[in-house]
Amino acid sequence: MAEANKVQKIVVDRNLCIGAASCVVMAAGVFELDAENKAVIKQKGVKNSGPAGREELENAAIDDTALVQAAQSCPTKAIFLYPVRTPPTPVGGRDGDSLWECNAPIDQSRSACAYGVYDEAGKQIYP
Amino acid sequence: MREFAYLIVGGGIAGTTAAEVIRQNDTDSTIVIVSDEPHRLYSRIMLSKPNFFLEQIPFDRVWLKPDSWYGDNRITLLAKKKAVLLDAEKKEIKLDDGEVIRYGKLLLALGGCARRWDVPGGDKKGIFYLRTLDDARAIIAAVKSAKHAVCVGGGFVSFEMCEMLRLAGVEVTLALRDSYYWEPILDQPSGAIIETALEKGGVKILRKTEVKEAMGGEGVESILLSSGERIPADMIIVGIGVACPLEWVQMAGIAVNRGILANEYLETNLADVWTAGDAAEFQDVILAERIQLGNWVNAQMQGRRAGFNMVGKKEPFRLVSFYTTQGFGITIAFVGDVRPGADRTVIPRGRAESGSYGRIIVKDGEVIGATLINRTQELAAISKIIEKDISVADREGDLGNSAFNLGDLIHG
């Protein structure tokens, strides 16, 4: 039996999104561009940049691989995926720079918020 | 002599994505990437974005792979090396440092090159192109002290650079050779919307302008127009298209036109040689024509497809690609093939005066492309219509009616 999907929540950081639309190509059932050229998440009855829970997705059955590929393909790493509906408390961000406060651990090699999927303890599961 | 099972020329998004896919499907073979830049993979599409330039997005955000990625994946990166000679019979590539490398399979993901500005004084300090990370770094440094800038050419690069310069408080003059912005890709009404936005944003536009000379000492100080007028310029950003020298590829017996010719599998005419990204002039199965595209998604997805095809998971490349930008309060999106031509009809959608205006390009009864100004929300539907080869032979009225929901054509 296939492993249950881990991604439970998706957020697009609109400050980072530049409308390259790689995510739209990788997961057209989940992402599209809005009138401002920013990626939005297609949810039941609403389209916005999230946070969007898995059950709210129009395509709630989409598998994790497609979502992770979409997040990885983003040329500004603007897509954040979480394994739980309430992400872990913020553990990082650049001091004094609110743009970088996010609910994901800091990836030291990038000196910015990492993208990926994290478990409850903040440990990266994907990629 | 070093030997690699997979040799990839080009360390951009097409080449690196191919390497990644090859490694995921072939854990043992050797892979090398030869890149003429001194950097690991970075986000080239970010380079022209004002937020990046003005350092509202931290510079480090540009890196798409950590240094360790190459080693972790046993991918050799030969940076700052240029391929200069190809012997496809011996399966050898010669680099500019003299080293000869033997390959099993070769991918030419050479990217694009900024077309050079051929005017007297065009090589002075302070004249910039935007193609590489180092180009961007040089512009970022120059913007800090610039007062008067000139942008040359009307396209995506100029549009984004004009906005960046205005946000930085620099006075900007835009020199267009044509009579309106983006002629002849766009029609005059579309060009006018963009020009109005630029002018509202404080950009001075010179149309039908021939620059005679870039004047100054070591560094540029002004430009002289053929009209005799002089425009002050302590920096100039040139965005007049792409053109790459492909002699070394052609000399090896590979068929080239503007780009490297490839079939729908991204195979060149020679065995074991593929091409992907901006350099590839490929047979597009959706558009049913040969096309060369210079956009991020195309390069990324072609790299992916080429990687799969090189490991034997052969399928044609299928993608309706697009490029979008926003600035000066408007959004612009190009999808599919937007080139004008005698064999295609352009259907205007919406009224230019309203500021939200599209053009749908139809060939042989099917949509092949569109240009959208302030109508990005229709991008998804139009991409689908192109991808599914939906006949619009008798639907011109609907395509031109901005109240008609294009999505209805897909299921209808």
Side-chain angles (χ1 to χ4, degrees), chain A residues 23-47:
Chain A
C23 58
V24 178
V25 173
M26 299 302 284
V30 177
F31 299 99
E32 69 175 40
L33 295 186
D34 70 6
E36 290 173 18
N37 281 6
K38 304 277 185 187
V40 289
I41 304 156
K42 291 151 92 170
Q43 300 152 74
K44 291 163 190 153
V46 59
K47 287 169 186 174

Side-chain angles (χ1 to χ4, degrees), chain A residues 15-16 18-22 25-26 33-38 73 75-77 94 99-100 109-113, chain B residues 43 45-46 49 51 56 58 60-61 63-64 66 296-297 300-301 319 322 324-326 331-332 376-377 379:
Chain A
N15 290 315
L16 288 174
I18 56 170
S22 300
V25 173
M26 299 302 284
L33 295 186
D34 70 6
E36 290 173 18
N37 281 6
K38 304 277 185 187
S73 73
T76 58
K77 303 295 180 210
R94 266 187 4 170
L99 184 66
W100 299 109
S109 66
R110 305 171 65 80
S111 68
C113 279
Chain B
S43 183
I45 189 176
M46 201 137 99
K49 303 298 169 189
N51 281 352
Q56 285 157 358
D60 277 350
R61 199 80 192 166
W63 303 112
L64 290 182
W296 179 267
V297 197
Q300 186 173 38
M301 298 305 155
L319 175 72
F322 35 82
T324 70
T325 191
Q326 52 160 347
T331 62
I332 306 171
T376 303
Q377 63 277 17
L379 186 69

Side-chain angles (χ1 to χ4, degrees), chain B residues 49-294:
Chain B
K49 303 298 169 189
N51 281 352
F52 170 71
F53 260 91
L54 304 173
E55 297 172 273
Q56 285 157 358
I57 297 178
F59 190 89
D60 277 350
R61 199 80 192 166
V62 85
W63 303 112
L64 290 182
K65 299 283 184 212
D67 248 338
S68 56
W69 179 82
Y70 295 88
D72 292 347
N73 287 282
R74 288 164 292 117
I75 293 167
T76 305
L77 175 64
L78 297 179
K80 227 179 160 178
K81 305 256 191 267
K82 224 175 149 61
V84 291
L85 209 64
L86 164 62
D87 185 332
E89 227 145 76
K90 287 192 193 152
K91 293 191 156 185
E92 288 171 5
I93 277 236
K94 189 175 176 189
L95 306 183
D96 56 352
D97 64 357
E99 182 178 2
V100 176
I101 299 176
R102 184 164 293 159
Y103 64 84
K105 292 176 180 179
L106 172 68
L107 175 64
L108 299 172
L110 310 179
C113 323
R115 187 189 296 279
R116 296 282 123 180
W117 193 41
D118 189 20
V119 298
D123 53 357
K124 284 191 191 305
K125 260 187 154 163
I127 298 177
F128 302 96
Y129 299 86
L130 181 56
R131 188 71 208 169
T132 67
L133 185 57
D134 293 338
D135 292 341
R137 276 184 169 142
I139 296 174
I140 290 171
V143 165
K144 286 180 176 151
S145 59
K147 289 188 173 59
H148 308 280
V150 170
C151 290
V152 179
F156 279 112
V157 167
S158 277
F159 183 77
E160 292 176 341
M161 287 299 94
C162 281
E163 178 170 52
M164 180 275 290
L165 290 162
R166 288 302 299 143
L167 288 170
V170 181
E171 219 174 86
V172 182
T173 305
L174 172 65
L176 301 178
R177 213 172 45 185
D178 301 310
S179 59
Y180 62 84
Y181 203 92
W182 236 316
E183 186 180 11
I185 297 287
L186 290 180
D187 61 357
Q188 196 276 334
S190 303
I193 299 174
I194 298 173
E195 288 177 6
T196 304
L198 286 162
E199 282 170 340
K200 266 196 199 153
V203 176
K204 190 178 174 219
I205 303 176
L206 305 172
R207 299 170 187 86
K208 286 192 178 170
T209 296
E210 233 19 275
V211 178
K212 215 170 154 190
E213 193 178 342
M215 319 267 292
E218 197 189 327
V220 67
E221 289 162 16
S222 65
I223 53 167
L224 176 65
L225 308 180
S226 50
S227 64
E229 198 185 342
R230 259 169 86 152
I231 312 283
D234 38 36
M235 70 180 290
I236 297 175
I237 303 177
V238 181
I240 51 174
V242 287
C244 273
L246 293 171
E247 282 85 7
W248 69 276
V249 176
Q250 194 171 14
M251 272 170 52
I254 294 177
V256 304
N257 181 37
R258 256 193 93 237
I260 299 170
L261 297 186
N263 64 13
E264 64 270 39
Y265 299 100
L266 305 175
E267 298 164 336
T268 68
N269 60 312
L270 295 187
D272 294 326
V273 185
W274 286 258
T275 184
D278 291 13
E281 189 173 337
F282 65 101
Q283 184 62 30
D284 188 310
V285 290
I286 299 171
L287 301 175
E289 60 184 18
R290 207 173 64 198
I291 191 168
Q292 186 175 15
L293 296 164

